[in-house]
């Protein structure tokens, strides 16, 4: 029996801008939850790990080009449904790039302005995509890392307490972040592997992906190990975030129950999440 290992990835954006509507659209082909994100074989580890079948989940097929479409759509639609997001408000959050693109795209479709706090070293293509969707960008000092963008978005939200101009989505503590992966990403992985997997590898940013995957996959099989790519310090890679002493830790992040040593295949600090 071959070991199955799944890798979730967030490739660079690859899809065009969609139309603008003020009503919530029907799901697009390839939209989150539409089961159109295949897990394809990766042969790069064939010689090193001949007994391991490695699959990569192609999240670039989301309309915004990344995994972040799933939680952003979930969070925004939930806010519309429960009345937190009302006409006249601006959607506010911080992002290293991909979530911001998802906010800008969804906000443009449903007719809500979007304001994103983003580190100044975000890639040029992400900045262009955000601006193309009509988002307003607030840049923070790249040398202060992504945590400075988080501090700035909270400063703006706190200052807004009286006027309530913003709907602060707060992907770092919004439970619909991890729920989106529990309800869609993990279910697709189980369907696409027939439930026959032993490990899954994912990077940690907000913690929503690994928390949602960990909870759902371990309901299916408690022995599945979730390997989290956790840099010791900010690596300058969009989407990865250190969670050590002095770093801001997302509320949506489920703390690991055990620690494994550095994995030779990953070459960064990794931990195994148990639930």
């Amino acid at each position: 029996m071959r070991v199955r290992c799944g890798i979730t990835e967030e490739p660079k954006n690859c899809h065009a801008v969609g139309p603008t509507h003020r009503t919530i659209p029907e799901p697009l082909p390839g939209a989150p939850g539409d089961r159109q994100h295949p897990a394809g074989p990766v042969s790069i580890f064939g010689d090193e790990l001949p007994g391991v079948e490695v699959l990569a989940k192609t999240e670039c097929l989301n309309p915004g080009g990344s995994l972040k479409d799933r939680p952003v759509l979930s969070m925004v639609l939930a806010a519309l449904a429960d009345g937190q997001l009302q006409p006249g408000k601006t959607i506010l959050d911080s992002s290293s790039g991909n979530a911001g693109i998802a906010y800008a795209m969804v906000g443009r479709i449903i007719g809500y302005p979007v304001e994103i706090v983003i580190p100044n070293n975000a890639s040029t293509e992400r900045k262009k995509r955000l601006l193309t969707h009509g988002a307003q960008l607030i840049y923070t000092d790249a040398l202060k890392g992504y945590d400075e963008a988080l501090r700035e978005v909270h400063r703006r939200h706190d200052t807004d307490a009286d006027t309530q101009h913003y709907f602060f989505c707060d992907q770092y503590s919004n439970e619909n972040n991890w729920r989106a992966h529990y309800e869609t990403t993990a279910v697709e992985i189980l369907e696409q592997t027939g439930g026959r997997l032993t490990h899954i590898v994912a990077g940690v940013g907000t913690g929503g992906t690994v928390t949602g995957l960990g909870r759902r996959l371990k309901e299916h099989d408690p022995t599945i190990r979730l390997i989290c790519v956790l840099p010791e310090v900010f690596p300058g890679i969009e989407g990865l975030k250190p969670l050590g002493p002095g770093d801001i830790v997302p509320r949506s992040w489920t703390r690991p129950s055990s620690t494994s040593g550095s994995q030779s295949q990953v070459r960064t600090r990794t931990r195994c999440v148990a639930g």
Side-chain angles (χ1 to χ4, degrees):
M1 179 177 177
R2 292 169 67 83
V3 177
R4 275 187 178 272
C5 179
I7 301 175
T8 61
E9 59 179 359
E10 295 187 16
K12 291 185 177 180
N13 305 292
C14 56
H15 287 271
V17 178
T20 300
H21 300 289
R22 288 195 173 270
T23 56
I24 300 173
E26 292 296 320
L28 301 172
D34 199 42
R35 309 297 190 268
Q36 299 297 320
H37 308 79
V42 177
S43 60
I44 189 172
F45 301 110
D47 293 337
E48 184 180 359
L49 304 169
V52 177
E53 183 179 7
V54 180
L55 305 175
K57 200 159 191 319
T58 52
E59 289 298 306
C60 64
L61 296 181
N62 281 304
S66 84
L67 182 75
K68 290 295 188 178
D69 286 11
R70 298 174 182 266
V72 167
L73 183 63
S74 176
M75 292 184 293
V76 171
L77 293 185
L80 284 170
D82 65 18
Q84 292 185 70
L85 178 56
Q86 299 177 351
K89 287 196 172 186
T90 295
I91 299 170
L92 172 71
D93 212 340
S94 58
S95 171
S96 62
N98 284 338
I101 290 170
Y103 280 123
M105 179 182 67
V106 172
R108 183 71 174 268
I109 291 171
I110 65 176
Y112 281 80
V114 172
E115 194 169 305
I116 299 295
V117 180
I118 189 169
N120 196 38
N121 64 335
S123 64
T124 300
E125 68 268 21
R126 283 171 170 78
K127 292 175 183 177
K128 288 182 177 179
R129 181 75 185 269
L130 283 158
L131 294 171
T132 298
H133 283 302
Q136 180 178 348
L137 303 184
I138 297 92
Y139 297 110
T140 56
D141 189 343
L143 295 179
K144 295 182 179 180
Y146 182 66
D147 279 2
E148 180 60 19
L150 286 169
R151 296 184 188 98
E152 176 59 25
V153 78
H154 278 278
R155 285 192 290 264
R156 286 177 174 266
H157 175 247
D158 293 343
T159 303
D160 182 61
D162 293 331
T163 60
Q164 296 185 347
H165 169 69
Y166 291 123
F167 162 64
F168 180 29
C169 200
D170 195 3
Q171 60 172 324
Y172 270 65
S173 64
N174 193 319
E175 289 206 348
N176 288 299
N177 181 347
W178 68 262
R179 288 185 189 279
H181 299 293
Y182 178 95
E183 295 170 356
T184 68
T185 319
V187 173
E188 290 177 25
I189 289 171
L190 290 173
E191 290 176 352
Q192 291 163 350
T193 62
R196 298 182 300 109
L197 72 157
T198 59
H199 297 73
I200 187 160
V201 180
V204 176
T206 66
T209 301
V210 293
T211 298
L213 291 180
R215 290 179 177 179
R216 179 64 184 89
L217 294 177
K218 284 181 175 293
E219 287 177 0
H220 168 74
D221 181 355
T223 67
I224 293 174
R225 300 190 73 188
L226 182 57
I227 309 301
C228 305
V229 181
L230 266 176
E232 296 281 2
V233 296
F234 178 62
I237 300 174
E238 293 155 348
L240 292 181
K241 187 184 186 305
L243 299 176
D247 296 315
I248 296 176
V249 178
R251 292 181 184 176
S252 57
W253 164 249
T254 295
R255 281 288 184 180
S257 64
S258 63
T259 302
S260 70
S262 296
Q263 306 293 313
S264 60
Q265 299 94 333
V266 180
R267 291 193 176 86
T268 59
R269 184 180 180 189
T270 62
R271 294 174 180 171
C272 298
V273 175

